[in-house]
Amino acid sequence: MTHSQPPLDLSPKVSDEVRKTTCYMCACRCGINVHMKKGKVAYIEGNRDHPVNQGVLCAKGSAGIMQHNSPARLRNPMKRVGPRGSGEFESISWKEALQIATDWLEPLRREAPEKLAFFTGRDQSQSFTSLWAQAYGTPNYAAHGGFCSVNMATAGIYTMGGAFWEFGQPDWDHTKLFMLFGVAEDHDSNPIKMGLGKLKKRGARVIGVNPIRTGYNAIADDWVGITPGTDGLFILSLIHCLMKAGRIDLDYLARYTDAPVLLNSDPKSPEYGLQLRDADGKALVVDRKTGKLTPFDQPGVRPDLAATYRTAGITHRPVFHQMAEQYLGEDYTPEAVAERCGIPAPRIRAIAAELARVAFDEAIELEHAWTDFRGEHHKTMTGRPVSFHAMRGISAHANGFQTCRALHVLQIILGTVEVPGGFRFKPPYPKPATAHPKPHCKATPDAPLDGPHLGFVQGPDDLALRADGSPARIDKAFTWENPMSAHGLMHMVISNAYAGDPYKIDTLFLYMANMSWNSSMNPGGVMEMLTDTDENGDYVIPRIIYSDAYSSEMVAYADLILPDTTYLERHDCISLLDRPISEADAAADAIRWPVVEPNRDVRGFQSALCDLGAKLGLPGFVNEDGTQKYKDYADYITSHERRPGIGPLAGFRGEDGKDAGRGAPNPEQIDRYIENGGFFVNHIPEGANYYKPWNAAYQDWAVGMGIYDAPQPYLFSLYVEPLRRFQLAAEGHGKRQPPDHLRERIKQTMSPLPIWYESDPEGTQGYDVHALTQRPMAMYHSWGSQNAWLRQLHGHNPLYLPTAIMRAKGLQDGDWAHVTSPHGGITVPVMEMAALNPKTVWTWNAIGKRKGAWALDRDAPETTKGFLLNHLIHELLPPKGDGLRWSNSDPITGQAAWFDLKVHIEKTAAPAEAQPEIPAQRSPVPPAPQDIAWKVGK
């Protein structure tokens, strides 16, 4: 008897067409193939030809289809009709929305442009949004870096011209020992996973330093469960051990760093601690061969690490002398730091020894000839196969800037930066701090700002202060309170605007910044600030314009909504001028383009800014006859030139599209990118791809690409002289002086050589447990927990407690605990985790949602069991008794000190829902359907 089988299509057709673009589900910017059926998105996979991910795609990237089809998408422009915070809106046209915005912003620009505060969240078009703000004339612009990782970026640029993440990467092909500090799973996840796969395959060793053992740390060969906030102390102890053992790269330090640069060593001199320079401003060293004083970059010079020089009655000593004095003392011995770090002294010594063994005993040589900036020819490249990677975990503390600097110094003394096997820069980096602009803040009615908003100060003269010494910016960036705040202080904008300190603003303009919820410290207080009225019944912050693609918690607090598109419906530019997708061996940039057209009345935010800029008549956004210069963001990307021949995209420039880096605008440039898979790559010539700051061939290639206008080799700054200039001011030298109450803090924290200081603020007595958040691999932005697929991975978040605390408090999995800080309390479910620092609790970040937001069901687990630690954190520190409220930030850069939170935990009865229970907000979008399944095509 035969059985007939039904016909089965074993190779169903996936799509009618594949459109290649760039993912936006995290900051990796992977290449994706978007499969289309009948004009709709059917499937998303990785692009195997893409330089970032080479076909690898994570759960977030695949789930982009759900992001694109989210029920929470905003439908059209809206204006508020109910009280602020009520969520009551009226739909309006784009014409009316842009007219309202113009009516608000045009008078401000004519009279007081600083009364507009324009801040953007995790967008990837900051070179464009900053240009718009500069044309408007307000000094009040920044993006989200101030509450993310400004410490990491700023410390890296001041020390060596770049840092981790978009600035550089480990040499995955040659490194033998890889050490991670404070890295969660959200940032750079696919490249790191690919790199770790290479390391594991080759048998390379991985050490993870993190209070929490998840993700990358879970697969590390060795996990170091450090006490939060003590990474800098641990790193400086490693430096102590290496220097004491003489296991440092003296030749590298002499050739490529400021270790031999001479410093004024007379405490009575007004230039005490500053570099000795020639008439051209070049740092001076003593030549080991001649014994003579000479500029650092002279052909044939062999800088001496030991020689001193005396002139005009003052002895000048090399930086290396000061390093030896500072780091060889007893304060940094493993025995002195072990208890505070939670790492036994023998283990610290063992890690230092392992770093030295691999760097020096397993050194490698590549047969690549190269010529350095002094004209010396080298037949080979020496490799130190030790590499590091670090992110927000070590950055988001009040001592984060100096901790990040310490890690960079550790890399440098081992000789592992820009060598085979070590850390490598990605074009357009490396760029020293002096190659970047300084911050500008001069607001003039009816005129552009006098220059870029953000930059790198070189001393007190570069601070953003008014003539009377008061802050020029609403966030107090680049002031004596946080002098080197290269990314601004987004977490202080609302608080300062509400307090009218340093002045009142009229309009708060935000893009994709969920400031009433997970992107703010103290969200309950922020919601009150956004809705509070003065004695006349007017809102204290008079007007709020907000742009987002989704019905986030922040939407309810806006007066005017400009709805953005999803990332599959827009043009974007991932630019060398901004946050490129380069790899260590190539310059690369990318685009997004509308693989589908919106089915709602929405516009890409950057295109809306082109329209608004034209209506306001902003310079650079209108032609000479007053007509709109850029019809949309795509037109801007193609047509704009930052300087002659240099535009947002480096690829396919010139009339024939054959130029790279430099070239005239090409009207078909975006089409060429689309044909090429959405990206452009230009590889660095072999032999130019290591030793970038000093390699003459790389410098020439970078000039050709438009990265530099002329070669600019430089020395790494173990000793950051601008920090010393601020100390000198605090000691009473110079015309521009800090207020008296900040003098001691500046002297203590702004050390030109990395130091460690306690980041636990005063007023936390009785709160003895560190509390942290991490972003999970499946969530990056707060929008992830509205995604139908990703919600199944993280529908709610428990608070993870170490075994000892669980036992001490009588807790079991599923119990609830009341968690308090000096600022507030939350009541949340708990779970035990053994692989956790014993003084630390933690949870996933941004899972908890407010009822009514994101088109989630009112009883969704994200709203009933999900929670935020943000309710325990305040943007200001507890009172010190001095009558002042100090910002909860790094005192050097102003980065939000999210991870200095300390709490007290007690078992409590289970409530019906996680506390605090914030009342539901009204949503401007309809409730999500119960069944959102669909099938595209046959």
Side-chain angles (χ1 to χ4, degrees):
M1 182 178 179
T2 58
H3 296 279
S4 61
Q5 294 289 338
L8 297 175
D9 184 356
L10 299 178
S11 299
K13 190 177 179 182
V14 175
S15 54
D16 307 322
E17 179 187 1
V18 176
R19 298 177 179 175
K20 298 175 185 288
T21 187
T22 306
C23 188
Y24 195 17
M25 295 299 288
C26 82
C28 283
R29 290 80 51 83
C30 295
I32 54 174
N33 297 339
V34 182
H35 289 260
M36 309 294 296
K37 265 192 177 181
K38 297 187 176 180
K40 293 185 177 181
V41 179
Y43 173 60
I44 298 175
E45 65 175 351
N47 179 355
R48 296 188 182 190
D49 298 321
H50 200 273
V52 170
N53 58 315
Q54 299 166 34
V56 173
L57 200 63
C58 67
K60 296 188 296 292
S62 298
I65 188 170
M66 290 297 176
Q67 207 70 30
H68 167 65
N69 289 294
S70 167
R73 290 173 299 169
L74 298 174
R75 272 57 168 184
N76 41 257
M78 297 179 290
K79 65 179 180 182
R80 179 178 56 80
V81 293
R84 192 182 285 171
S86 67
E88 297 174 20
F89 290 95
E90 174 185 294
S91 295
I92 57 175
S93 67
W94 272 100
K95 180 178 180 181
E96 183 178 355
L98 292 172
Q99 190 59 51
I100 291 171
T102 302
D103 291 343
W104 291 352
L105 298 180
E106 198 169 41
L108 288 186
R109 184 168 190 270
R110 285 198 304 267
E111 299 161 14
E114 70 275 9
K115 289 183 177 289
L116 168 65
F118 178 48
F119 286 75
T120 68
R122 288 181 183 83
D123 72 294
Q124 292 165 12
S125 61
Q126 290 162 23
S127 68
F128 172 76
T129 50
S130 64
L131 186 74
W132 192 94
Q134 189 177 331
Y136 183 88
T138 178
N140 294 314
Y141 165 83
H144 86 289
F147 62 65
C148 182
S149 282
V150 64
N151 274 336
M152 184 59 68
T154 306
I157 286 174
Y158 275 110
T159 307
M160 58 183 192
F164 305 110
W165 182 209
E166 285 137 336
F167 303 88
Q169 67 187 108
D171 188 349
W172 298 113
D173 293 326
H174 295 103
T175 197
K176 299 179 182 179
L177 177 60
F178 180 48
M179 198 168 183
L180 302 100
F181 284 82
V183 181
E185 291 87 72
D186 63 319
H187 263 82
D188 204 18
S189 60
N190 286 335
I192 288 181
K193 285 181 286 189
M194 293 159 61
L196 286 169
K198 286 184 176 182
L199 299 187
K200 291 286 185 179
K201 187 175 182 180
R202 289 195 290 105
R205 186 164 172 76
V206 178
I207 301 175
V209 182
N210 196 312
I212 305 158
R213 191 168 197 183
T214 61
Y216 312 131
N217 297 283
I219 65 164
D221 300 288
D222 193 6
W223 170 61
V224 181
I226 195 167
T227 301
T230 66
D231 301 82
L233 196 57
F234 169 52
I235 293 165
L236 292 173
S237 188
L238 295 175
I239 290 172
H240 167 92
C241 293
L242 292 165
M243 291 187 69
K244 194 157 190 177
R247 299 284 271 172
I248 57 178
D249 194 332
L250 294 173
D251 184 63
Y252 183 97
L253 290 171
R255 288 177 183 271
Y256 308 127
T257 81
D258 65 355
V261 168
L262 297 165
L263 301 175
N264 182 317
S265 63
D266 182 0
K268 297 179 182 178
S269 169
E271 296 184 342
Y272 176 44
L274 297 185
Q275 295 179 359
L276 185 63
R277 297 176 183 272
D278 68 7
D280 295 324
K282 288 186 177 180
L284 295 171
V285 300
V286 173
D287 187 352
R288 196 166 66 238
K289 293 185 298 183
T290 66
K292 293 182 178 180
L293 200 64
T294 179
F296 77 92
D297 60 350
Q298 292 303 292
V301 70
R302 285 284 191 276
D304 195 324
L305 289 171
T308 61
Y309 183 83
R310 188 168 178 82
T311 180
I314 294 175
T315 299
H316 297 265
R317 301 188 305 155
V319 166
F320 194 62
H321 278 207
Q322 191 155 327
M323 289 181 67
E325 285 183 7
Q326 187 153 320
Y327 299 132
L328 291 178
E330 294 301 305
D331 289 349
Y332 293 119
T333 64
E335 290 73 17
V337 309
E339 184 177 352
R340 281 173 290 175
C341 294
I343 308 170
R347 195 174 189 198
I348 297 174
R349 292 188 183 280
I351 292 171
E354 187 171 8
L355 290 171
R357 181 185 61 78
V358 177
F360 300 109
D361 299 347
E362 298 189 22
I364 57 178
E365 291 283 333
L366 295 188
E367 298 294 327
H368 288 323
W370 68 288
T371 302
D372 69 26
F373 67 104
R374 296 186 180 100
E376 184 173 346
H377 187 69
H378 306 263
K379 294 182 178 179
T380 62
M381 293 180 170
T382 300
R384 307 284 181 206
V386 174
S387 60
F388 299 87
H389 185 73
M391 272 310 297
R392 192 183 298 113
I394 69 169
S395 179
H397 294 279
N399 58 23
F401 175 79
Q402 291 287 17
T403 292
C404 295
R405 287 240 312 116
L407 181 55
H408 297 317
V409 168
L410 173 62
Q411 296 186 90
I412 291 167
I413 66 170
L414 287 168
T416 66
V417 180
E418 261 307 312
V419 301
F423 170 82
R424 306 177 64 198
F425 292 114
K426 302 178 184 180
Y429 297 94
K431 286 184 179 181
T434 51
H436 292 266
K438 296 177 180 180
H440 294 74
C441 63
K442 185 180 179 184
T444 305
D446 206 22
L449 199 69
D450 59 334
H453 299 81
L454 306 176
F456 290 81
V457 299
Q458 298 302 313
D461 291 345
D462 300 329
L463 293 177
L465 301 174
R466 292 175 157 185
D468 62 1
S470 65
R473 291 173 53 105
I474 190 67
D475 59 356
K476 301 186 181 179
F478 309 110
T479 66
W480 293 107
E481 291 189 26
N482 13 251
M484 300 170 112
S485 42
H487 290 178
L489 282 77
M490 192 165 182
H491 60 294
M492 294 305 299
V493 171
I494 291 172
S495 177
N496 290 356
Y498 175 75
D501 177 21
Y503 47 80
K504 289 187 176 296
I505 65 167
D506 179 275
T507 301
L508 178 62
F509 191 177
L510 298 174
Y511 173 49
M512 208 172 65
N514 202 16
M515 300 307 292
S516 73
W517 198 245
N518 62 283
S519 290
S520 274
M521 298 174 167
N522 182 27
V526 168
M527 287 185 268
E528 291 181 9
M529 295 178 205
L530 294 174
T531 55
D532 198 16
T533 56
D534 60 20
E535 62 276 9
N536 300 319
D538 298 321
Y539 288 116
V540 176
I541 300 175
R543 298 184 177 97
I544 299 175
I545 305 173
Y546 184 53
S547 180
D548 203 321
Y550 304 98
S551 178
S552 69
E553 285 87 353
M554 184 62 205
V555 165
Y557 294 91
D559 305 311
L560 177 65
I561 298 292
L562 305 178
D564 193 16
T565 64
T566 72
Y567 73 101
L568 295 179
E569 301 168 325
R570 62 183 296 121
H571 281 99
D572 264 328
C573 175
I574 300 100
S575 168
L576 287 171
L577 301 178
D578 202 340
R579 303 177 67 185
I581 61 163
S582 298
E583 296 294 303
D585 288 317
D589 57 15
I591 64 163
R592 295 187 188 93
W593 60 284
V595 297
V596 286
E597 292 295 329
N599 59 0
R600 310 165 315 287
D601 192 15
V602 298
R603 294 183 190 178
F605 176 65
Q606 293 76 12
S607 290
L609 281 186
C610 289
D611 297 336
L612 183 57
K615 285 184 70 67
L616 291 166
L618 300 187
F621 287 83
V622 290
N623 299 307
E624 289 186 8
D625 62 0
T627 56
Q628 184 163 337
K629 185 168 186 176
Y630 307 115
K631 66 179 182 181
D632 55 20
Y633 190 42
D635 189 13
Y636 165 87
I637 292 170
T638 302
S639 307
H640 176 72
E641 289 183 279
R642 188 54 53 101
R643 58 188 195 275
I646 306 295
L649 291 173
F652 311 111
R653 301 194 66 80
E655 293 182 4
D656 57 4
K658 294 181 179 179
D659 294 338
R662 298 178 184 270
N666 172 13
E668 298 179 354
Q669 187 180 37
I670 288 179
D671 291 336
R672 295 292 301 276
Y673 269 81
I674 293 171
E675 292 166 8
N676 198 53
F679 64 91
F680 167 79
V681 174
N682 189 13
H683 290 276
I684 300 169
E686 188 172 328
N689 47 358
Y690 290 100
Y691 294 94
K692 293 185 183 82
W694 321 292
N695 189 325
Y698 174 80
Q699 296 284 318
D700 290 342
W701 176 85
V703 170
M705 277 293 294
I707 293 171
Y708 311 140
D709 283 335
Q712 46 181 274
Y714 63 95
L715 300 178
F716 286 167
S717 298
L718 300 163
Y719 184 97
V720 173
E721 191 180 37
L723 288 161
R724 180 60 196 148
R725 293 194 184 108
F726 284 104
Q727 283 185 323
L728 280 171
E731 292 164 8
H733 299 288
K735 293 181 180 179
R736 189 170 255 190
Q737 291 285 295
D740 288 343
H741 72 279
L742 290 173
R743 287 186 188 275
E744 283 306 311
R745 188 173 83 164
I746 291 168
K747 285 189 279 187
Q748 290 171 8
T749 61
M750 298 190 75
S751 166
L753 286 174
I755 58 170
W756 183 85
Y757 51 85
E758 178 62 66
S759 64
D760 185 17
E762 294 181 37
T764 61
Q765 292 75 16
Y767 301 94
D768 54 357
V769 177
H770 298 269
L772 306 177
T773 58
Q774 285 196 156
R775 288 197 185 279
M777 199 172 283
M779 303 283 182
Y780 171 68
H781 196 281
S782 60
W783 64 19
S785 51
Q786 59 144 335
N787 186 296
W789 289 352
L790 299 179
R791 289 181 64 206
Q792 298 175 63
L793 301 177
H794 298 283
H796 59 89
N797 54 314
L799 185 66
Y800 292 98
L801 274 58
T803 300
I805 293 179
M806 291 287 284
R807 300 293 180 269
K809 300 296 181 180
L811 290 162
Q812 295 182 340
D813 285 359
D815 285 346
W816 289 65
H818 187 53
V819 186
T820 54
S821 75
H823 175 60
I826 59 176
T827 303
V828 298
V830 300
M831 286 189 71
E832 181 176 344
M833 181 175 175
L836 181 58
N837 176 277
K839 299 178 181 178
T840 303
V841 300
W842 75 281
T843 191
W844 296 120
N845 187 24
I847 302 298
K849 291 285 175 277
R850 184 174 174 183
K851 291 183 178 181
W854 301 101
L856 294 176
D857 188 271
R858 292 291 178 97
D859 296 323
E862 290 85 354
T863 69
T864 57
K865 287 187 177 180
F867 64 92
L868 301 178
L869 284 188
N870 305 51
H871 296 294
L872 301 177
I873 310 173
H874 201 285
E875 70 272 12
L876 301 174
L877 294 175
K880 292 183 174 184
D882 57 5
L884 303 170
R885 290 300 300 273
W886 300 69
S887 170
N888 186 11
S889 309
D890 187 298
I892 300 171
T893 64
Q895 172 166 343
W898 293 99
F899 295 163
D900 286 345
L901 175 64
K902 296 187 79 172
V903 300
H904 178 74
I905 298 171
E906 290 294 339
K907 184 177 180 179
T908 190
E913 298 184 2
Q915 303 296 314
E917 188 178 344
I918 308 294
Q921 63 187 91
R922 183 172 174 178
S923 176
V925 300
Q930 290 300 305
D931 181 4
I932 62 167
W934 71 91
K935 186 170 180 65
V936 176
K938 183 178 178 182

